[in-house]
Amino acid sequence: MLILTIKTLLSAILIVAIAELGKRSSFWGAALASLPLTSLLAMIWIYLDTRDTAQIAATASSIFWLVIPSLLLFLLLPLLLRAGWNFWLALLLSSAATALAYALMVWLLPRFGVTL
C-alpha cells in the first residue's frame, strides 16, 4: 500500500507542477507537459512491479501508435478557442474528436499488421 501511495503522490506532484508552471509560462508549462513523463513514470512503475521488459516494450510501442491520434486534441482545441468557442464546449468537442481518432487508429492498425 505504501508503494501505491508513493506512486500516486509522485504522479499528482507532476501534474500539479505542470499546471502551476503553465500559469507562469505557457512555453515552459507546455515544454514540461510535452515530455513523456507520464509514460516514463508508468513504464517505471510497471517495471518495478513486474521486471517484465517485454511488457515495457509492448507498452512503449502502443504509446507510440496512440500518440498520433492524441495530437488531434492539441490541434483542434486551440483552433476552436481562437475561433471564440466556449472553453468547455471546445474541450468536449476536441476530446470527442480525439476519442474517435483513437477508435479509428485502433481499428486501422491491425489491418497493417500492428498489434497494440
Side-chain angles (χ1 to χ4, degrees):
M1 188 63 171
L2 177 63
I3 297 298
L4 183 58
T5 302
I6 292 170
K7 289 178 188 179
T8 303
L9 287 174
L10 282 174
S11 301
I13 288 168
L14 176 63
I15 292 166
V16 170
I18 291 168
E20 290 300 313
L21 186 58
K23 286 192 267 185
R24 290 168 180 76
S25 167
S26 59
F27 171 78
W28 288 112
L32 185 57
S34 70
L35 296 172
L37 297 173
T38 305
S39 299
L40 289 172
L41 277 177
M43 288 185 282
I44 289 167
W45 301 150
I46 292 168
Y47 180 76
L48 291 175
D49 289 345
T50 68
R51 301 281 192 229
D52 185 351
T53 56
Q55 186 176 6
I56 299 299
T59 300
S61 293
S62 294
I63 289 169
F64 170 79
W65 290 110
L66 294 176
V67 161
I68 296 167
S70 74
L71 295 176
L72 184 58
L73 177 86
F74 303 106
L75 178 66
L76 190 55
L77 181 60
L79 288 174
L80 293 174
L81 292 173
R82 288 183 183 126
W85 285 54
N86 169 280
F87 170 77
W88 295 110
L89 187 56
L91 184 62
L92 179 66
L93 182 62
S94 299
S95 297
T98 301
L100 289 173
Y102 274 115
L104 178 62
M105 184 65 92
V106 169
W107 176 82
L108 196 58
L109 285 175
R111 282 144 182 79
F112 290 96
V114 177
T115 57
L116 297 177

